[in-house]
């Protein structure tokens, strides 16, 4: 029987590093998109712990955070009955394929172009080789599962582009193995900016907690952070990324959480000031966090460990089969 094209679901793969507390940027830029996709696609969501160790982590904290990231996935609405959730280090094919891509596809010139390394590396006195090489591991993560779509925030688009380059180069030089994936970036929310500095993205490794709203911040703390967020000169509430980057960022967060589009928000705040916008947004964020955290706190560590084990057991054969085909092409199977 011939399969109808409609019946073949596309595969979606994405992940988050357990490198700190997840924030609204992670949720609005990535996780909320994953939730929408799980009904339509074959979804695989990973906790990318090997990426987190590219910078020094405190071991006890890291193992705690791995479980917490899964709880965040679940609280965001990812359903483990629909989507596979697993821990990267549970499947050895990731590091094996990464090494192979390092040798067979990746070039220093490719990695030298990665802007995220330049930004992250610049802040540190000593930089690990892993931090430099992490886009190749990310390519391995994606390519192992014959991924079609990679939902990410816009800071990761360059890494998905590199993944395409490495896959195309391997297919050309050794024979067809890899599917060529595409990044999927939200029109709105692809880059939520820091509350303390709208020229930098909201980031879990930001030096000041005033930069982000953590998904585990108390609603009261989050409200305070919104009220203290930097604003722009002038008083008009208008979406204008160039002239009003801070207010535009607050409007994007407000719009995504409330479902009210930005032009409607501009109209609603026509004769009002920044303080009014911040008060209402603080309330919206607090309401979101209250509901989110009830769900987050309802999952036990035992449940999470079972979900991770089941996820890895289910998906490991797909990764191993891709790796087998790669090794065969290289003559090392
Ligand atoms: N500010 C952001 N706006 C929109 N999307 C964002 N993402 C991250 N920050 C924003 C997206 O969230 C997903 C998971 O990111 P990650 O944990 O893999 O690492 P990252 O992109 O490096 O995120 P952070 O918060 O900046 O972490 P650190 O500080 O540890 O590097 C990705 O899809 C990302 O695009």
């Amino acid at each position: 029987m011939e399969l109808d094209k409609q019946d073949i679901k596309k595969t979606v793969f994405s992940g988050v590093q357990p490198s700190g507390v997840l924030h609204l940027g992670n949720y609005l830029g990535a996780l909320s998109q994953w939730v929408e996709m799980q009904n339509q696609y074959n979804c695989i969501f990973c906790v990318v712990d090997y990426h987190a160790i590219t910078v020094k982590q405190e071991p006890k904290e890291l193992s705690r955070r791995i479980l917490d990231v899964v709880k965040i996935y679940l609280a965001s609405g990812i359903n483990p009955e629909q989507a596979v959730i697993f821990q990267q280090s549970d499947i050895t094919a990731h590091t094996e394929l990464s090494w192979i891509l390092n040798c067979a596809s990746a070039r220093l010139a490719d990695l030298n172009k990665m802007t995220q390394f330049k930004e992250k590396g610049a802040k540190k006195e000593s930089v690990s080789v892993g931090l430099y090489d992490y886009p190749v591991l990310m390519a391995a993560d994606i390519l192992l599962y014959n991924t079609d779509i990679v939902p990410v925030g816009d800071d990761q688009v360059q890494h998905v582009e590199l993944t395409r380059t490495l896959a195309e180069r391997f297919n050309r030089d050794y024979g067809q193995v890899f599917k060529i994936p595409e990044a999927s970036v939200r029109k709105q929310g692809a880059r939520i900016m820091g509350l303390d500095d709208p020229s930098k993205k909201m980031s879990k490794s930001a030096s000041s907690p005033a930069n982000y709203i953590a998904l585990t911040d108390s609603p009261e703390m989050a409200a305070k952070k919104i009220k203290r967020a930097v604003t722009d000169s002038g008083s008009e509430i208008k979406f204008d990324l160039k002239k009003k980057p801070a207010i535009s960022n607050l409007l994007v967060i407000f719009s995504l959480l409330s479902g009210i589009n930005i032009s409607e928000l501009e109209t609603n705040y026509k004769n009002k000031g920044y303080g009014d916008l911040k008060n209402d947004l603080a309330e919206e964020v607090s309401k979101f966090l209250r509901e989110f955290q009830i769900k987050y706190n309802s999952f036990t560590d035992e449940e999470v460990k079972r979900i991770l084990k089941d996820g890895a057991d289910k998906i490991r054969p797909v990764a191993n089969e891709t790796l087998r085909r790669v090794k065969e092409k290289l003559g090392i199977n």
Side-chain angles (χ1 to χ4, degrees), residues 14-18 22 26 30-31 34 46-49 69 73 204:
S14 200
V16 170
Q17 306 182 53
L22 270 67
N26 296 130
L31 294 171
W34 301 4
C46 186
V47 181
V48 287
D49 49 351
V69 169
Y73 287 3
K204 49 180 131 63

Side-chain angles (χ1 to χ4, degrees), residues 14-31 34 48 51-52 55 57 116 120 123 134 138 151-157 189-194 200-206:
S14 200
V16 170
Q17 306 182 53
S19 52
V21 271
L22 270 67
H23 50 73
L24 263 185
N26 296 130
Y27 176 79
L28 297 174
L31 294 171
W34 301 4
V48 287
H51 289 279
V55 296
Q57 303 289 339
Q116 205 181 53
K120 286 190 174 178
K123 289 184 217 153
Y134 116 96
M138 180 166 158
V152 283
D154 85 350
D155 59 320
Q156 294 293 341
V157 171
R191 184 172 285 246
I192 301 294
M193 308 311 283
K200 297 208 176 88
K201 73 165 190 154
M202 189 176 279
S203 175
K204 49 180 131 63
S205 54

